[in-house]
């Protein structure tokens, strides 16, 4: 309750500073009316969306996501203004003290707010505001194909040049543009990889979310098949189900949908891919995650039928599983494929220069390729989106990995 009160006070303070910035640079009342009108519309819509429909646990419908997205953009806008103008207020306060005690003046007078500072504040605040709006309009469907080549000394010769396409975190319950999704599915098929691996979170909460998209994703194809695992959202844990049976049936329905789309769902089990008398193992665990996430994954059970010398590809939705259990395991898992983080759907990436997102403070491995003890993990940035209905800087990802016979190279 205390945190909520502090948050409300902070929001009011930010709105006041936003008002002051606009008032400083213009005397036009319409600008102030417009500002308050936008604030009331955005905040009012959020409360309306949150309280006008039945609450089903932590289910966030697309329209509620958009309400949250607009509030997030407004919050970022006012936060920048507040930081700059509050800093100016500190300077103004000490300037007033100086004039009173450091000069011959007797009165305490705080200098007026400077128009230039307010202009700078509004200009800087417009950057995250516009970026978040762009992310909601265009960024969430700005699909990128990221290609990697990984070398392994012990890769079977027959699999030299073998291509894997990985997708993750579809979150079909968030989609609102069929044309964009069909384009992305075509883009996946254009990679013409040997095998397609999906690393969990097909839906946000309910199996029914995938029904409108079943035919679209059913068009995905790969020569050696399509394999999948479950993510934390696939279990329906965030819904207030009327009964345990309803929750169980939801998961069974999702399994059936995946089968109808041609996916081989691996539930703590394994399969072999064979080529020219040689083979590699595909291992799939159920979700295992630190920090309160579901721990249904059983690595020992999933690898029970695998030989120690097999070349192993592990599918595990949550990358926290990798350091916690996979790397120190008695088996050597050559390549682990994960997702889950979405790269927080927000960050800055300039290939070869910078890769940053606030999610790095939660997950050590959060996007791209990492290497420890000769074992690789790729953390896919996700196909879809959840919560904030957009992406800024961290774009939706389709990964294509080519396996090559050769000396391994360390990647940080």
């Amino acid at each position: 309750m205390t945190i909520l009160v502090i948050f409300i006070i902070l929001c009011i303070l930010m709105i006041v500073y936003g008002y002051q910035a606009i008032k400083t640079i213009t005397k036009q009342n319409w600008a102030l009316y417009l500002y308050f009108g936008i604030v009331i519309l955005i905040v009012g819509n959020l409360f309306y969306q949150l309280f006008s429909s039945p609450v089903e646990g932590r289910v966030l419908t697309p329209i509620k996501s958009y309400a949250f997205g607009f509030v997030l953009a407004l919050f970022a806008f006012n936060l920048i203004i507040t930081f700059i103008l509050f800093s100016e207020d500190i300077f103004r306060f000490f300037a007033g003290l100086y004039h009173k005690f450091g000069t011959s003046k007797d009165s305490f007078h705080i200098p007026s707010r400077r128009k230039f500072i307010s202009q700078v504040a509004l200009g800087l605040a417009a950057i995250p505001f516009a970026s978040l709006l762009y992310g909601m309009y265009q960024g969430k469907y700005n699909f990128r194909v990221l290609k990697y080549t990984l070398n392994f000394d012990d890769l079977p010769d027959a699999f030299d040049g073998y291509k894997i396409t990985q997708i993750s975190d579809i979150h079909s319950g968030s989609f609102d543009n069929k044309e964009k999704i069909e384009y992305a599915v075509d883009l996946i098929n254009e990679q013409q990889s040997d095998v397609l691996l999906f690393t969990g979170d097909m839906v946000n909460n309910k199996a029914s979310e995938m029904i409108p998209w079943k035919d679209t994703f059913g068009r995905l194809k790969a020569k050696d098949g399509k394999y999948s695992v479950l993510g934390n959202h696939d279990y329906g844990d965030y819904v207030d189900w009327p009964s345990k049976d309803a929750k169980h049936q939801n998961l069974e329905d999702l399994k059936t949908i995946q089968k109808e789309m041609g996916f081989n769902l691996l539930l703590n089990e394994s399969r072999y891919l064979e080529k020219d008398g040689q083979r590699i193992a595909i291992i799939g665990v159920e979700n295992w995650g630190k920090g309160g996430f579901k721990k249904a994954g059983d690595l020992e059970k999933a690898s029970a039928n695998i030989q120690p010398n097999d070349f192993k590809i592990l599918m595990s939705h949550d990358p926290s599983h990798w350091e916690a259990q996979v790397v120190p395991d008695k088996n050597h898992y050559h390549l682990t494929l994960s997702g889950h983080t979405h790269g927080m759907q927000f960050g800055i990436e300039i290939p070869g220069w910078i890769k940053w997102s606030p999610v790095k403070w939660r997950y050590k491995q959060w996007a791209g390729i990492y290497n420890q003890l000769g074992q690789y993990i790729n953390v896919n940035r996700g196909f879809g989106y959840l919560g904030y209905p957009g992406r800024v800087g961290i774009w939706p990802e389709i990964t294509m990995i080519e396996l090559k016979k050769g000396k391994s190279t360390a990647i940080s």
Side-chain angles (χ1 to χ4, degrees), residues 128-385:
F129 181 75
S131 297
L132 288 166
L133 294 181
Y134 170 80
M136 294 165 62
Y137 172 69
Q138 185 68 30
K140 61 187 177 184
Y141 294 132
N142 189 18
F143 293 98
R144 302 292 177 90
V145 178
L146 301 184
K147 297 184 178 183
Y148 304 99
T149 299
L150 299 180
N151 296 305
F152 299 92
D153 294 329
D154 54 350
L155 179 71
D157 292 337
F159 288 87
D160 187 19
Y162 196 78
K163 294 180 180 180
I164 300 166
T165 290
Q166 180 200 2
I167 56 174
S168 191
D169 299 86
I170 288 175
H171 287 290
S172 58
S174 299
F175 294 154
D176 56 12
N177 191 317
K178 189 173 182 64
E179 182 180 350
K180 295 290 187 181
I181 300 303
E182 289 181 340
Y183 161 78
V185 168
D186 291 337
L187 192 59
I188 294 170
N189 286 335
E190 285 175 12
Q191 306 313 307
Q192 297 183 334
S193 291
D194 297 288
V195 67
L196 175 66
L197 304 180
F198 170 65
T199 48
D201 276 1
M202 184 164 282
V203 298
N204 293 349
N205 299 287
K206 299 180 178 180
S208 58
E209 297 167 5
M210 196 64 198
I211 293 176
W213 306 98
K214 188 169 66 171
D215 292 340
T216 300
F217 284 92
R219 293 196 293 106
L220 291 170
K221 55 180 181 286
K223 182 179 63 174
D224 292 339
K226 303 181 291 188
Y227 295 85
S228 62
V229 293
L230 296 176
N232 55 297
H233 281 268
D234 294 324
Y235 296 91
D237 287 343
Y238 309 122
V239 178
D240 285 337
W241 298 98
S243 67
K244 289 184 178 179
D245 289 341
K247 181 180 179 180
H248 173 76
Q249 186 59 51
N250 175 74
L251 182 56
E252 292 304 310
D253 290 344
L254 183 61
K255 293 176 182 178
T256 299
I257 289 171
Q258 291 211 26
K259 183 177 181 180
E260 291 173 347
M261 292 190 300
F263 281 94
N264 189 338
L265 178 61
L266 301 181
L267 302 169
N268 292 325
E269 52 191 327
S270 62
R271 300 287 187 272
Y272 280 112
L273 301 177
E274 298 188 5
K275 187 176 181 182
D276 299 335
Q278 297 179 319
R279 66 185 188 179
I280 62 175
I282 302 292
I283 303 151
V285 296
E286 293 197 50
N287 191 78
W288 192 103
K290 295 173 67 175
F293 289 103
K294 194 177 191 73
K295 289 182 171 65
D298 189 330
L299 189 59
E300 183 177 359
K301 178 182 177 182
S303 302
N305 298 323
I306 301 299
Q307 302 302 312
N309 293 329
D310 286 330
F311 187 92
K312 306 173 191 67
I313 299 174
L314 174 68
M315 302 167 64
S316 180
H317 176 70
D318 192 316
S320 65
H321 188 210
W322 190 61
E323 277 196 331
Q325 290 194 346
V326 178
V327 172
D329 192 79
K330 66 180 186 296
N331 284 315
H332 182 88
Y333 294 91
H334 298 76
L335 174 61
T336 298
L337 302 177
S338 297
H340 181 64
T341 72
H342 299 202
M344 203 175 170
Q345 299 169 209
F346 173 83
I348 302 172
E349 281 199 88
I350 303 175
W353 290 86
I354 185 173
K355 183 177 74 174
W356 177 88
S357 169
V359 78
K360 67 176 293 184
W361 297 322
R362 175 73 185 274
Y363 293 95
K364 187 175 179 180
Q365 293 81 31
W366 61 273
I369 300 283
Y370 303 84
N371 175 285
Q372 282 189 28
L373 302 176
Q375 301 178 77
Y376 291 95
I377 183 173
N378 179 62
V379 185
N380 184 284
R381 293 160 180 81
F383 182 95
Y385 52 92

